[in-house]
Amino acid sequence: MPNALRLALQQMTSDPAIRRVLWVSFAATIALVLTLPALVGWGLSFVHIANWSWVDTTLDVLGGVAVLALGILLFPAIVGLVAGLFLDDVAAAVEARHYPTLPPPRRQRIGEIVWGSARFFLALVAFNLVAVGIVLVVPGVNLLVFWLVNGYLLGREYFELVAARRVEPAAARALWRERQGRFIAAGLVLAAILLVPVVNLVVPVLGAAFMTHVFHRAVGAAPGGVATRRMAG
């Protein structure tokens, strides 16, 4: 796994295709977090609850601040959402460089792609809200809760997104049951990076590249394109 992370980091900094996705992902995540409060504030400006302008202005500002705080709180969920948009480009670049003899990826149905991304985004939101509740009830365990919850979810999501390119859903579920410890460990690595300010913005791209290596090694493909186990699908 350390070698898989090393290969992902090296390609992320040297491959123009991945660097391009990195900058687009970076800009999209920041724009989403910063734009939502502005949109909420603009929407609230049309709502007049009180007869005093200063009260309405205060409510508008507080609404924007609340949405910004929620966006920061749910940053892992937003990261996961952005990652899903650019995964194919990153995974394709990793496979082209390190696994060139693989067959073309399977064609995914639109409904499968949309449902998978929406389901995971909602799961991330729900689990992070639960994690926040635990932190408020049991102070001092916030980092541990954050790491464990997001480690599991990131491992599961990146696995499913990468696996969907290569195997049918049933085969992906079977592989998860068989090797989930490896994929969760990879998710914990990514969750640890999420704890580092600014650096955590590379997680969407790094996670896709890293999990592509972890997945192919789990199914028996070595760097260079030599497959030692037949993939389903």
Side-chain angles (χ1 to χ4, degrees), residues 95 99 102 166 211-222 231:
E95 291 177 347
Y99 310 92
L102 289 173
R166 291 291 169 184
M211 190 61 76
T212 300
H213 285 293
V214 174
F215 171 81
H216 283 301
R217 293 179 182 207
V219 299
M231 281 192 229

Side-chain angles (χ1 to χ4, degrees), residues 21 69 97 115 182 187 202 210 218:
V21 173
R97 173 175 292 190
W115 169 243
R182 177 180 303 193
V202 307
F210 177 41

